[in-house]
Amino acid sequence: MADQFKVSDNVAKMRASSTLRAAQIASALREEGHDVIDLTVGEPDFDTPDFIKQFASEGLQKGLTRYTASAGTRQFTEAVAAFYAEQFGTSFSPSEVAAACGGKQALFNAACTLLNPGDDVLIPRPYWVTFPEIAAFCRANAVYVDTEATGFILTADEVRSKITDRSRLLIINSPNNPSGRVIPGDEIRRIIETCAELGVYVLADECYLFFAYPPGEVFSSASFPAELREFVCVAGSFSKTFAMTGWRIGYTIANEAWTKAMVKLQSHSATHPTSFVQYACARAMEDPERSMTAVRQMLAEYERRRDWLIPALNTIEGFKCDMPEGAFYAFVDVRDMLGGKYARSADVVEAMLTEAYVATTDGAGFGADGFIRFSYATSMDNLKAAVDRLHTLFGTRSATAA
Ligand SMILES: Cc1ncc(COP(=O)(O)O)c(C=O)c1O
């Protein structure tokens, strides 16, 4: 009977997540007994800070086990507004905030309340795998904006050149997954001004908000004045910042009308993120000094790994990698290796996995065939062992070439 099931057109158009598939292959090989070093992971290898866990149990003990408002508790939305005001000098009100079950649901809520079938969605390439699928689900058309000429850092000129009468939404993601690049704040401003001038909305995925390494700039689009924010929805998340991927909590910051529409949609789907998780996050944001100390400790470790890993990857024969300013990914250009033994970067990924047991993610899933994503959200020991194995597999570049 199961083969008679006909999936809806909306979902049939979506492709399965290539990043999750890469992680699944790595764990299947591990179950077969192979010593796999998994550099596919898109989540922190740190545990959630203890004080946040304690706030969650405190919430449970207080009996916060019932439904909350679909937009999230007043305490949660006020805490987001106060935390951003403290960190970025913002001035939006709690009524412009809605809690969501992770950044992913925040993005879905924003896109589904804005897009109509046939609208164009501008998606900078390379992109996070979910963006085109959200467009497909809304029966909108993904229109890609190539960013290689500007080192994968989106510019207002690139955006302007792609806007037409059908353009309804631009999705930006900085710090970026998969490239690790960060768009400077003044360029983000130009991008949003361009979109506002031409009547295009902007969905700013700030899932890696604090992940810009010194001297880089931590910048939120929530800090624009109200007349620019009219066109912007920020999708935020606790997943990466506070090492809370499993807790499933994020939020949107958008004008009141957009927020109301998102809350209406969410009231018929997830309803709201878990009550005592909202409480724990609100308490953490109410103490920004303590929270940011915990975040800075994790960021210092990611930065140490990045500073070691990128030069090390550049010593592997055929690999080229620019220094990323943010997130926890290295995006390696392997196009010099193609044409002989390897036709595509997917073949290089497969060779690394089956011959060296180093699992990575092929760039094709991010719209960048010829590139490979390495996550450094893993221990320094793992990174060093992976690089050793890749030297053995591909050889070592001479110092001058590297
Ligand atoms: C760019 C980007 N946006 C959003 C998300 C969603 O994260 P979450 O739903 O866990 O908040 C991820 C997760 O990998 C991501 O990489």
Side-chain angles (χ1 to χ4, degrees), residues 42 102-104 107 128 173 177 205 207-208 237 239-240 248 329:
K104 227 177 228 181
L107 293 163
W128 182 48
N173 171 224
N177 176 8
D205 178 349
C207 183
Y208 296 90
S237 172
S239 289
K240 322 277 173 167
R248 308 311 304 136
Y329 305 107

Side-chain angles (χ1 to χ4, degrees), residues 19 42-43 101-107 128-131 173 175-178 205-208 235-240 244-246 248-250 328-329 373:
T19 47
E43 67 177 341
C101 301
K104 227 177 228 181
Q105 191 182 32
L107 293 163
W128 182 48
V129 291
T130 293
F131 298 153
N173 171 224
N176 186 269
N177 176 8
D205 178 349
E206 296 185 356
C207 183
Y208 296 90
S237 172
F238 287 81
S239 289
K240 322 277 173 167
M244 295 177 67
T245 45
R248 308 311 304 136
I249 183 154
F328 41 61
Y329 305 107
R373 190 189 76 172

Side-chain angles (χ1 to χ4, degrees), residues 285-304:
M285 283 183 290
E286 285 163 5
D287 191 348
E289 206 177 304
R290 190 183 197 183
S291 305
M292 289 313 296
T293 302
V295 171
R296 273 192 290 270
Q297 276 166 3
M298 294 188 267
L299 291 179
E301 176 57 19
Y302 290 127
E303 190 188 354
R304 190 173 79 92

Side-chain angles (χ1 to χ4, degrees), residues 69-290:
S70 291
T73 63
R74 184 80 192 162
Q75 183 187 17
F76 180 85
T77 54
E78 278 177 356
V80 172
F83 180 74
Y84 272 73
E86 204 268 342
Q87 293 291 313
F88 302 105
T90 54
S91 57
F92 58 83
S93 92
S95 56
E96 292 171 280
V97 180
C101 301
K104 227 177 228 181
Q105 191 182 32
L107 293 163
F108 254 93
N109 286 347
C112 292
T113 47
L114 184 81
L115 295 171
N116 284 310
D119 285 342
D120 282 356
V121 183
L122 303 186
I123 301 178
R125 187 156 52 191
Y127 46 75
W128 182 48
V129 291
T130 293
F131 298 153
E133 309 314 323
I134 295 178
F137 182 78
C138 295
R139 302 196 186 196
N141 311 309
V143 173
Y144 297 106
V145 185
D146 279 310
T147 59
E148 191 178 355
T150 49
F152 295 149
I153 299 178
L154 183 71
T155 66
D157 289 344
E158 286 165 340
V159 171
R160 187 179 283 275
S161 73
K162 288 287 185 178
I163 291 180
T164 68
D165 291 350
R166 285 187 311 278
S167 311
R168 178 83 170 139
L169 179 68
L170 163 73
I171 306 182
I172 58 175
N173 171 224
S174 176
N176 186 269
N177 176 8
S179 73
R181 303 313 300 257
V182 176
I183 309 172
D186 51 4
E187 194 60 37
I188 296 187
R189 187 185 188 107
R190 276 193 286 275
I191 291 169
I192 291 175
E193 281 169 351
T194 303
C195 288
E197 178 198 324
L198 299 169
V200 175
Y201 286 85
V202 178
L203 179 48
D205 178 349
E206 296 185 356
C207 183
Y208 296 90
L209 178 61
F210 290 102
F211 289 67
Y213 304 108
E217 183 189 6
V218 174
F219 180 83
S220 173
S221 294
S223 57
F224 289 127
E227 60 279 12
L228 272 189
R229 275 197 297 104
E230 251 333 271
F231 287 88
V232 180
C233 175
V234 169
S237 172
F238 287 81
S239 289
K240 322 277 173 167
T241 311
F242 295 101
M244 295 177 67
T245 45
W247 297 57
R248 308 311 304 136
I249 183 154
Y251 48 89
T252 48
I253 304 167
N255 69 54
E256 276 188 24
W258 199 349
T259 299
K260 274 195 186 130
M262 290 191 281
V263 171
K264 181 166 142 192
L265 171 66
Q266 183 163 282
S267 75
H268 292 294
S269 57
T271 309
H272 59 73
T274 305
S275 49
F276 50 87
V277 169
Q278 291 184 50
Y279 174 79
C281 291
R283 291 296 307 272
M285 283 183 290
E286 285 163 5
D287 191 348
E289 206 177 304
R290 190 183 197 183

Side-chain angles (χ1 to χ4, degrees), residues 34 42 100 252 333 389:
H34 298 291
T252 48
D333 181 348
R389 290 185 194 184

